[in-house]
Amino acid sequence: QVQLAESGGGSVQAGGSLRLSCATVSGYTGSSACMGWYRQAPGKEREDVATIANDGFTAYGEPVKGRFTISKDNTENTLYLQMNSLKPEDTAMYFCAAFFPPPTPPGGSCWTSPYNYWGQGTQVTVSS
């Protein structure tokens, strides 16, 4: 099985930065096929933020392109989301997710893949 634990959320003023982390504990051999960050604000649907494939290919949602960077450290089994130039509309609960087993997800795309493991989330609040 897989356990995901997010950290790094908090409150920041607009224009500031935060770095989210997602520690992964997995019983599978090898890294995930895909990992991603998602967010959900109160009263809104869940929104895709960024994904990263086993081969390092990344994809971003339009609202965060150029401001957020997803990365992973396979040695430490940790996923990151560097968030710069934060805006009040970035306020949400942020979740990390993973699809196991490797090497590829259903359909071949991490952006459209279903994810079978989710963390509990970390709150990000951006004030104007």
Side-chain angles (χ1 to χ4, degrees):
Q1 292 299 310
V2 177
Q3 294 181 328
L4 306 175
E6 303 95 335
S7 62
S11 297
V12 64
Q13 289 192 328
S17 298
L18 284 173
R19 188 193 196 201
L20 305 184
S21 300
C22 175
T24 304
V25 177
S26 167
Y28 288 95
T29 298
S31 61
S32 61
C34 300
M35 294 199 75
W37 288 99
Y38 297 81
R39 66 187 183 186
Q40 188 164 20
K44 295 187 178 181
E45 293 188 355
R46 191 180 68 199
E47 180 182 22
D48 300 359
V49 175
T51 60
I52 186 166
N54 198 341
D55 62 3
F57 182 83
T58 59
Y60 297 89
E62 285 297 328
V64 307
K65 278 184 178 179
R67 299 188 298 123
F68 291 11
T69 303
I70 188 172
S71 62
K72 63 178 179 176
D73 184 327
N74 290 329
T75 301
E76 296 184 355
N77 293 323
T78 303
L79 178 73
Y80 299 100
L81 184 69
Q82 178 66 44
M83 305 186 295
N84 298 329
S85 302
L86 283 161
K87 304 176 181 180
E89 50 264 45
D90 294 319
T91 295
M93 184 72 78
Y94 284 71
F95 300 88
C96 72
F99 182 86
F100 282 85
T104 56
S109 168
C110 288
W111 190 253
T112 57
S113 171
Y115 284 76
N116 49 4
Y117 296 99
W118 292 83
Q120 294 298 307
T122 186
Q123 178 68 36
V124 171
T125 302
V126 184
S127 58
S128 57

